[in-house]
């Protein structure tokens, strides 16, 4: 389509609300690399003692949130942002990175491969489209993505396995329901484009691009300001990143991002979640473990995870302080599989080992590079006198510099520079193709955000 208006079936001109000016086919975009790289190649690696990592990350250690004192008048895991945001962060992570290498003390970084293209393009939702991956689409209406027959669950085979572009999006109920919301939002966009008279041959690609651009907008203008602060986001949009500036079409995922900074969300997981008003609380694992049909008692009311218009405030995410709940300190075997080392059942241990295996620098070294005042030993813990693992440093920095809700100067800049840098390097993104573009879906407030997309996805016609 070459114009923002088309002749509708009744003969008059109608604006196409969700039309996006961009290259018409994904095949036209340059092939993306699948390697990891380094954001700070000049910094020396931190060689931490594995036994110190095991001691810190297992029950009773420095990363066990159950040993943290609560603040007066607050629950121990009571932060300021809504509880759903770390799961949206996980959804984004699944879109841009997938490292399937095993956990260990050493890793062959050169051999590491990213199974995802480093683009925020919802590859895990649309996959190869209705021709390349027809099992994800409705055979009676191939422009639409398949959902369950009632629209309340992901599509599944007869054994209950989800039919989705990334099986990790069925690992627990929250990310599964986010994936479903994006399926339904795509289908709602198909309906809107048909109402506006878009030719059937163009419907799927127009709906796909519109959903991707709304998603990219949410990441930049809703997700990141909450996580790193609006001032840093505005700086990067105006002046561009300082440390992550891949050429257009040549983006990669930095190891400092994938194996440390963007694992911040593990520190925001609550001890328990309420899924329905007045219902019981469940720990994330094992109670909300996925890979099977969603039971009625696990149907999710989004207003309990995100602040929605005209609804009471949602549950809050756990404050960032370096601690993880018991469900993540002792992961079930369904998540880890059989492990040779018992300590590898701890997500904290796995996060810190990943940083050691990929030779990441200490948090203090990155702080010095950024001209930021490093945390002192009392703040990070005396056991890290030789340098703090970057993942843990970022969590502690958020505690002392970000009030427990935002990342500090090290973590915030790494995360924001990479996400905005990936979007800027994508020749199909709205930042590159049409910087003046603004969301076309309805908004309850002055600025479109994730809550608006969730409400649109819940509309009766979405997903039909």
């Amino acid at each position: 389509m070459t114009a923002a208006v088309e002749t509708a079936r009744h003969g008059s001109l109608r604006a196409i609300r969700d039309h996006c000016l961009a290259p018409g086919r994904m095949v036209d975009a340059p092939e993306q690399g699948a390697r990891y790289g380094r954001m700070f190649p000049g910094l020396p690696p931190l060689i931490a003692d594995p036994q110190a990592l095991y001691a810190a990350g297992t029950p009773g250690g420095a990363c066990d949130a159950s040993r943290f004192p609560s603040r007066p008048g607050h629950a121990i895991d009571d932060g300021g942002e809504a509880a759903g945001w770390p799961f949206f962060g996980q959804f984004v992570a699944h879109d841009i990175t997938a490292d399937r290498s095993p956990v260990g003390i050493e890793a062959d970084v050169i051999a590491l491969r990213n199974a995802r293209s480093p683009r925020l393009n919802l590859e895990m939702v649309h996959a190869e489209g209705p021709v390349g991956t027809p099992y994800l689409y409705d055979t009676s209406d191939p422009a639409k993505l398949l959902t369950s027959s009632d629209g309340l669950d992901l599509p599944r085979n007869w054994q209950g396995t989800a039919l989705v572009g990334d099986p990790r999006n069925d690992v627990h109920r929250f990310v599964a329901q986010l994936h479903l919301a994006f399926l339904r939002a795509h289908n709602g966009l198909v309906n809107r484009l048909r109402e506006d008279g878009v030719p059937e041959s163009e419907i799927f690609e127009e709906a796909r691009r519109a959903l991707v651009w709304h998603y990219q907008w949410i990441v930049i203008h809703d997700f990141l300001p909450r996580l790193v602060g609006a001032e840093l986001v505005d700086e990067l949009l105006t002046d561009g990143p300082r440390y992550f500036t891949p050429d257009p079409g040549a983006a990669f995922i930095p190891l400092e991002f994938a194996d440390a900074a963007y694992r911040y969300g593990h520190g925001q997981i609550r001890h328990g979640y309420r899924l329905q008003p007045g219902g019981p609380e469940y720990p994330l694992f094992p109670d909300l473990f996925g890979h099977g049909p969603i039971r009625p008692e696990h149907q999710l009311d989004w207003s309990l995870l995100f602040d929605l218009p005209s609804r009471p405030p949602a549950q809050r995410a756990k404050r960032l302080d370096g601690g993880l709940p018991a469900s993540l300190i002792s992961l079930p075997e369904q998540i880890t599989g059989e492990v040779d080392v018992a300590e590898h059942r701890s997500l904290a241990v796995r996060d810190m080992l990943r940083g050691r295996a990929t030779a990441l620098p200490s948090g203090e070294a990155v702080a010095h590079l950024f001209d930021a005042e490093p945390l002192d030993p009392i703040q990070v813990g005396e056991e890290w006198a030789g340098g703090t693992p970057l993942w843990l440093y970022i969590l502690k920095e958020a505690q002392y510099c970000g009030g427990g809700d935002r990342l500090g100067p090290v973590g915030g800049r790494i995360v924001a520079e990479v996400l905005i840098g990936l979007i800027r390097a994508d020749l199909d993104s709205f930042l590159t193709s049409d910087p003046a573009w603004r969301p076309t879906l309805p908004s309850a407030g002055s600025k479109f955000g994730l809550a608006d997309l969730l409400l649109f996805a819940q509309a009766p016609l979405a997903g039909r």
Side-chain angles (χ1 to χ4, degrees):
M1 219 167 6
T2 59
V5 295
E6 291 286 336
T7 303
R9 283 182 286 272
H10 55 69
S12 62
L13 288 178
R14 172 183 293 171
I16 299 172
R17 294 165 291 184
D18 308 309
H19 172 71
C20 303
L21 295 172
R25 295 174 296 158
M26 287 297 294
V27 72
D28 295 330
E31 185 174 330
Q32 301 295 318
R35 294 181 182 272
Y36 291 92
R38 294 200 183 275
M39 199 169 177
F40 317 117
L43 293 182
L46 172 67
I47 309 301
D49 178 2
Q51 295 303 318
L53 305 183
Y54 293 159
T58 46
C63 297
D64 183 355
S66 65
R67 60 187 285 273
F68 287 25
S70 62
R71 294 173 293 160
H74 293 77
I76 190 171
D77 58 352
D78 187 14
E81 289 294 341
W85 282 110
F87 300 117
F88 179 77
Q90 183 179 13
F91 182 82
V92 174
H94 291 179
D95 193 31
I96 59 177
T97 183
D99 176 4
R100 295 167 181 165
S101 59
V103 174
I105 296 174
E106 304 292 343
D108 183 356
V109 174
I110 296 176
L112 290 179
R113 291 294 183 272
N114 182 8
R116 282 274 170 260
S117 63
R119 305 166 67 193
L120 283 84
N121 64 353
L122 295 178
E123 174 188 1
M124 60 190 175
V125 171
H126 297 111
E128 298 300 321
V131 175
T133 46
Y135 53 88
L136 299 182
Y137 292 83
D138 187 341
T139 56
S140 65
D141 188 353
K144 290 187 173 182
L145 285 153
L146 197 63
T147 68
S148 64
S149 59
D150 61 5
L152 299 178
D153 196 358
L154 299 171
R156 299 180 183 276
N157 66 15
W158 66 272
Q159 293 179 318
T161 301
L163 303 176
V164 291
D166 190 326
R168 297 175 300 170
N169 279 6
D170 193 34
V171 70
H172 58 68
R173 296 316 180 201
F174 300 127
V175 75
Q177 290 288 289
L178 275 171
H179 192 105
L180 176 63
F182 275 80
L183 300 181
R184 291 175 58 89
H186 170 93
N187 294 346
L189 281 162
V190 169
N191 292 336
R192 280 166 57 98
L193 289 162
R194 284 180 173 149
E195 290 173 1
D196 291 343
V198 175
E200 280 297 317
S201 61
E202 300 172 0
I203 287 285
F204 168 74
E205 187 56 34
E206 288 284 346
R208 183 203 64 79
R209 188 180 299 119
L211 184 63
V212 168
W213 283 15
H214 281 85
Y215 160 65
Q216 292 171 347
W217 177 276
I218 289 167
V219 169
I220 293 172
H221 295 287
D222 195 8
F223 173 59
L224 280 177
R226 298 172 186 274
L227 182 61
V228 307
E231 182 177 349
L232 178 56
V233 174
D234 291 342
E235 174 199 322
L236 297 179
L237 291 176
T238 301
D239 302 329
R242 299 180 193 171
Y243 302 96
F244 184 69
T245 56
D247 293 332
F252 64 93
I253 300 296
L255 291 164
E256 297 90 340
F257 172 88
D259 289 340
Y262 207 64
R263 295 173 183 252
Y264 76 89
H266 299 160
Q268 287 187 309
I269 302 303
R270 292 171 55 90
H271 294 279
Y273 294 87
R274 184 168 287 109
L275 308 183
Q276 300 169 356
E281 283 196 351
Y282 302 94
L284 184 62
F285 298 120
D287 294 46
L288 302 180
F289 180 73
H291 300 306
I294 296 177
R295 303 196 301 269
E297 65 269 25
H298 287 171
Q299 288 293 333
L300 179 61
D301 183 334
W302 280 123
S303 70
L304 296 179
L305 269 290
F306 294 97
D307 296 325
L308 301 185
S310 304
R311 299 293 298 272
Q315 299 165 99
R316 310 329 278 174
K318 176 190 168 295
R319 65 192 298 263
L320 290 161
D321 54 17
L324 273 61
S327 61
L328 300 188
I329 291 292
S330 300
L331 288 167
E333 187 173 336
Q334 301 101 301
I335 298 294
T336 64
E338 294 187 10
V339 295
D340 296 328
V341 180
E343 288 86 354
H344 290 179
R345 294 203 183 280
S346 165
L347 189 56
V349 169
R350 296 166 78 91
D351 285 337
M352 289 186 286
L353 278 181
R354 184 74 67 182
R356 186 190 190 281
T358 53
L360 297 187
S362 69
E364 291 84 356
V366 181
H368 284 299
L369 180 67
F370 288 178
D371 292 323
E373 182 69 27
L375 299 179
D376 64 45
I378 294 177
Q379 292 172 318
V380 295
E382 297 290 346
E383 63 267 40
W384 309 114
T388 309
L390 184 56
W391 171 78
L392 181 59
Y393 184 93
I394 285 166
L395 296 188
K396 301 304 289 187
E397 184 188 59
Q399 176 184 4
Y400 291 104
C401 303
D405 289 314
R406 290 183 177 177
L407 298 180
V410 169
R413 182 164 291 276
I414 294 174
V415 168
E417 287 212 5
V418 170
L419 291 182
I420 292 176
L422 292 176
I423 295 173
R424 287 167 63 103
D426 182 355
L427 297 175
D428 285 347
S429 74
F430 84 89
L431 277 185
T432 302
S433 298
D434 186 6
W437 177 85
R438 296 294 181 269
T440 57
L441 291 178
S443 173
S446 59
K447 182 174 67 173
F448 180 86
L450 180 59
D452 298 302
L453 186 136
L454 295 176
L455 291 173
F456 174 72
Q458 289 180 331
L461 289 179
R464 302 298 183 187

